[in-house]
Amino acid sequence: MEYTEDNLITALRDCEAIRFGDFTLASGNKSRYYIDIKKATSMPKVLKLISEMASEKIRDMQVDRIGGVALGGVPLATAVSLITEDPLLLIRKSEKDYGTGGRFVGDVNKGETVILIEDVTTSGGSVIDAIDVLRSEGVVVNTVITVVDREEGALENLKAKNIELIPLARASRILEKAGDDV
């Protein structure tokens, strides 16, 4: 299979990760469509396609670790880490106050470069929070790869923090391909 945006959209549609109707997003905003990447990552062939596409995007980049924000980014970052053989770093949404505590699973080393893998970006809020926490630890974060960018401000919000957002698929293309199905 070719690693193209259209093939990814077809795979997402075929596994029913793209749905149309009336939905409330995590942001509280209403939407006529929903992209369930968590469902897609439960399908091995789709997860493999996503991780191969993301790995191809970072092949020539400087990277010390592949990062994923819990929950949606965890299987994605894990799969990319397996392909690239770069160590994995998982970022919790909040600090854990039991066990070993902390917000990170994996090593956080000052000066290292982490590329974050995200499932869906809307405004970029959750990934920006993770970036801020990583940067406060001295970690370099310049790139976020997202499976789907809903094109609702994440690109601009990340650019304002000197972060490049690389979408594997864009909502406008998903909607364009859906055509009469919407």
Side-chain angles (χ1 to χ4, degrees), residues 119-143:
D119 58 352
V120 177
T121 51
T122 303
S123 68
S126 62
V127 76
I128 287 171
D129 177 58
I131 290 165
D132 289 344
V133 170
L134 288 167
R135 285 180 169 175
S136 74
E137 296 289 329
V139 173
V140 177
V141 184
N142 298 319
T143 307

Side-chain angles (χ1 to χ4, degrees), residues 46-123:
V46 182
L47 177 58
K48 183 175 182 179
L49 173 62
I50 292 167
S51 58
E52 291 283 357
M53 288 178 73
S55 297
E56 184 64 33
K57 298 284 185 194
I58 65 173
R59 189 167 315 277
D60 297 323
M61 292 183 191
Q62 160 59 36
V63 59
D64 295 302
R65 297 189 185 281
I66 303 296
V69 181
L71 176 72
V74 170
L76 298 166
T78 302
V80 171
S81 174
L82 285 168
I83 292 170
T84 64
E85 298 185 359
D86 293 309
L88 179 65
L89 176 65
L90 303 178
I91 302 99
R92 295 182 178 105
K93 292 192 188 245
S94 61
E95 193 150 334
K96 187 174 86 163
D97 60 359
Y98 55 90
T100 58
R103 268 195 85 171
F104 306 110
V105 176
D107 294 331
V108 176
N109 298 310
K110 187 175 182 175
E112 285 190 336
T113 299
V114 173
I115 292 180
L116 291 175
I117 312 294
E118 184 70 311
D119 58 352
V120 177
T121 51
T122 303
S123 68

